[in-house]
Amino acid sequence: MVNALERFAPLPLQEDFDNAGLQVGLTETEVSGALLCLDVTEKVLDEAIALGCNLVVSHHPLVFRPLKRVTDSNYVQRCVMKAIKNDITIVSMHTNMDNALEGVNFKIAEKMQLRQPRFFAPKSVGELQGGSGVVGELPEAMSAADFISMLKTTFDVACVQANQLLSREIRRVAICGGAGAFLLGDAIREGADAFVTGEMHYHDFFDHEQEVQICVIGHYQSEQYTKEIFQSIIEEQCEGVRCCLSSVNTNPINYL
């Protein structure tokens, strides 16, 4: 099953800073069930145990930086211990899934009903082709206010961080799930009317009034549907494997 995921989103497509792939455990074990999630937390592992799933597939890697010890001092180390104690294997598909054809950004485009989505800021690794962002066209042009309202409804967003509302209608939309500020310039060069991402810094909003509608919807919110990609891959290529979508909201940010 891990091979199926890696065929869809090959590990060489991940960014240099990343740590996608096998996180904890063994890949040769027969899968009793796969729990699919955005983040691995103790509550997610408890859910896997309760559901009888011995495989957890996450988007964000549990082990992102090297561990010098495994104790109970933080949630990452506690999760590693809990997974090992309960014979749970953890696999993460992170920036390789971000950069893959029909990956994270294509799923966001699908939820927004964008037409003819395609890569911008393409990435090539040997014969592998990918991209850090996706751009597409809305079925019908809409005002900036209506566009933001659509984002709030589609992604269950409490509030959207935006620059000055665009006076022209929005038709072409560029997307980068997660932290996508680095693609803002590329989105503008693509002629995007709007740029949708999960995180941006304060100063990135300056100097783009009436150039592009910046819409920051939250890191978790932008990538929450990634587990649906995992589900479709496993169900199509790994017949008989039971898939469960995690019901745990792992977003650490509260909107008060």
Side-chain angles (χ1 to χ4, degrees):
M1 189 169 68
V2 175
N3 289 337
L5 291 166
E6 292 185 1
R7 281 195 300 271
F8 185 95
L11 289 179
L13 284 178
Q14 71 178 306
E15 302 295 338
D16 293 340
F17 62 80
D18 202 7
N19 188 39
L22 179 65
Q23 301 279 293
V24 178
L26 305 173
T27 58
E28 295 82 8
T29 304
E30 183 176 349
V31 178
S32 61
L35 182 65
L36 315 177
C37 61
L38 188 65
D39 308 285
V40 180
T41 65
E42 291 167 276
K43 286 185 178 180
V44 168
L45 290 177
D46 288 338
E47 184 181 29
I49 294 166
L51 292 170
C53 295
N54 64 350
L55 174 65
V56 171
V57 181
S58 70
H59 181 45
H60 295 138
L62 172 65
V63 181
F64 192 74
R65 298 177 180 85
L67 296 177
K68 294 184 178 181
R69 62 189 63 84
V70 179
T71 68
D72 63 351
S73 62
N74 61 49
Y75 88 93
V76 173
Q77 296 178 42
R78 291 193 297 271
C79 283
V80 170
M81 289 196 297
K82 178 169 284 194
I84 292 173
K85 285 180 179 179
N86 291 278
D87 296 320
I88 294 174
T89 296
I90 300 172
V91 174
S92 299
M93 298 282 111
H94 191 211
T95 53
N96 54 319
M97 188 62 73
D98 290 331
N99 291 331
L101 182 65
E102 301 302 328
V104 174
N105 294 310
F106 285 89
K107 176 60 71 172
I108 298 170
E110 175 191 313
K111 296 296 181 179
M112 295 168 59
Q113 300 183 14
L114 296 190
R115 294 176 176 174
Q116 298 179 316
R118 58 177 175 81
F119 286 123
F120 73 99
K123 177 183 180 71
S124 298
V125 181
E127 296 181 358
L128 298 174
Q129 300 295 316
S132 300
V134 163
V135 62
E137 310 284 329
L138 289 167
E140 295 182 359
M142 61 176 64
S143 69
D146 287 343
F147 180 73
I148 289 172
S149 179
M150 178 272 288
L151 291 177
K152 293 176 72 172
T153 300
T154 302
F155 297 96
D156 191 22
V157 178
C159 63
V160 174
Q161 291 182 315
N163 59 344
Q164 182 185 82
L165 291 184
L166 207 63
S167 59
R168 68 176 186 272
E169 289 191 316
I170 292 171
R171 186 63 178 265
R172 180 172 293 178
V173 181
I175 299 166
C176 181
F182 69 102
L183 281 182
L184 178 58
D186 294 277
I188 292 169
R189 286 186 286 275
E190 283 288 333
D193 301 305
F195 177 60
V196 179
T197 189
E199 290 183 39
M200 284 182 65
H201 295 295
Y202 173 81
H203 291 285
D204 294 324
F205 286 84
F206 281 98
D207 206 27
H208 298 294
E209 295 81 5
Q210 300 307 313
E211 183 177 35
V212 65
Q213 185 67 66
I214 297 171
C215 298
V216 178
I217 63 175
H219 198 125
Y220 175 89
Q221 289 87 344
S222 71
E223 297 181 331
Q224 62 185 300
Y225 299 117
T226 303
K227 55 191 177 183
E228 294 180 9
I229 306 174
F230 300 151
Q231 182 181 31
S232 64
I233 296 168
I234 295 169
E235 289 182 347
E236 289 173 9
Q237 300 189 38
C238 307
E239 185 177 355
V241 174
R242 179 170 59 96
C243 287
C244 303
L245 298 180
S246 176
S247 62
V248 178
N249 184 330
T250 57
N251 188 2
I253 300 172
N254 294 306
Y255 299 86
L256 305 177

